[in-house]
Amino acid sequence: MKLKRVLTMTGLAFGLVAGTAFAAGHDGPPPAVKARLGLMANFAYNLGVLGEMAKGNTDYNADVAAVAAANLAAFSATDQSLLWTAGTDTGSISGTRALPKIWEAKADFNSKSADLAKASMTFAAAAGTDLAGLQGAIGGVGAACGACHKAYREPQ
Amino acid sequence: MFRRIIAAIALLGAGAGWWVTAPTYLPRADEITLMAAAPDAALGEQVFWAAGCASCHVPPDTAETDTPILSGGQAFASDFGTFYAPNITPSPEGIGGWTLMQFANAVQAGISPEGAHYYPAFPYTAYAKARHEDIAALFAFIQTLPADATPSRSHDVGFPFNIRRSLGGWKLLFGEPDGPELQPLSPSTERGAYLAEALGHCTECHTARNALGGLNTSLWMAGAPNPSGKGRTPNITPAALDWSQVDLMAYFTTGLTPDYDSAGGKMASVVQNLARLPEADRMALVDYLKALPPIANQQPASEQVR
């Protein structure tokens, strides 16, 4: 009788500890969302290198611009189909601003993603030539970012 | 006798109410200058993008092309009900057959050709400040856009806001919101004020409102709750918006923030419109923002977002 109680208590305690550990392991958004945010951060970082040159905040450097623009083109050409998993919209979890509309209009969402890849390719071809080329093509990338954020990202 | 006096007063009150809520058309003098203005469609195209017409009047989830189809249908939720942008294409379902004066009364006085008040979800209180030549040019440009026969959807507005006549009273109280004095006042900041206050109607989202939906002009551009959902439209006075002129120009051209995030939601549309304006106009808007009186955030800093 006593043993049973001890076992039950131990079981309960173990369950509690394990549960806490499990919860701790799952802090923050799910891995797919983290990967999405990481991809966006890579867009922003490489775009930032180029944008600072476009603004004249840093000196234009053709080699650096070419690398950043090639990175942006490569990141934006990533097949994102594994990142937008079901149940990871803003209505289901915290830590994301991805609207449920993404999953309702997947074809349009994918075409906007393809538009970014296209704009980034154009940008990559121009950014390494000269500053004017860089300045002329960055707007197309910005517009592609905005087109998707306009439709599919929850306003803050 | 007493009852009769009460009835007389009530009748007088109702009569006065009916009188003050009557549509106030543009004055006759406006008609003369409007008719004299050139129907300059090229100028009208600039006015069209500066005024952001397409952002609300293209159908839901439709891109704003160079020649957008303004058949309407986008929903605008608010505390007063849900408004649906109407068809404004040059078709009988839209503004086909309207005279320039009817158009001007719609855009600048908020009165339909049938003599009904429009809801101020349509920013005619801003457009009221637009120049006649710009209105005449805008009318000419909209005629060049594709016609579409989609019927306009009725607004979903409950009592008492569904009594359009009451909007006459609203217009009397809140119809002519004045912007603040700018520091400095230069040709560029004045042009910026015209673009922001008369055409761009930035205050519609960036200025807080009172319980009746009138703009709180003492909080000009100091941010406001989003009327259609959660979150806030940011404070864009110099007290909160510390972006450099270069950063603002880049934002108005590419939509990219200083952190290389991008504009989203309605502001993504606004940026697309601004990108179509001459560079001098974007610079004028930057100068205007820098010349606004700084107003501290009305919310704790933790709740303020860009």
Side-chain angles (χ1 to χ4, degrees), chain B residues 125 128-129 170-179 217:
Chain B
T125 57
K129 297 175 185 171
W170 188 91
K171 286 178 180 176
L172 271 181
L173 293 172
F174 312 118
E176 288 166 29
D178 278 325
T217 53

Side-chain angles (χ1 to χ4, degrees), chain B residues 111-199:
Chain B
I111 303 168
S112 76
E114 295 77 32
H117 292 297
Y118 287 127
Y119 288 102
F122 175 28
Y124 51 79
T125 57
Y127 298 153
K129 297 175 185 171
R131 287 192 297 255
H132 295 313
E133 60 262 40
D134 282 356
I135 296 297
L138 177 63
F139 186 58
F141 175 70
I142 290 182
Q143 308 292 331
T144 69
L145 294 176
D148 184 285
T150 308
S152 296
R153 181 169 173 180
S154 305
H155 301 310
D156 192 3
V157 178
F159 184 81
F161 305 113
N162 57 358
I163 303 173
R164 284 190 183 244
R165 188 81 186 194
S166 64
L167 289 164
W170 188 91
K171 286 178 180 176
L172 271 181
L173 293 172
F174 312 118
E176 288 166 29
D178 278 325
E181 280 183 32
L182 302 175
Q183 193 58 250
L185 193 63
S186 69
S188 184
T189 58
E190 279 185 282
R191 173 68 183 162
Y194 179 73
L195 289 165
E197 296 176 4
L199 300 183

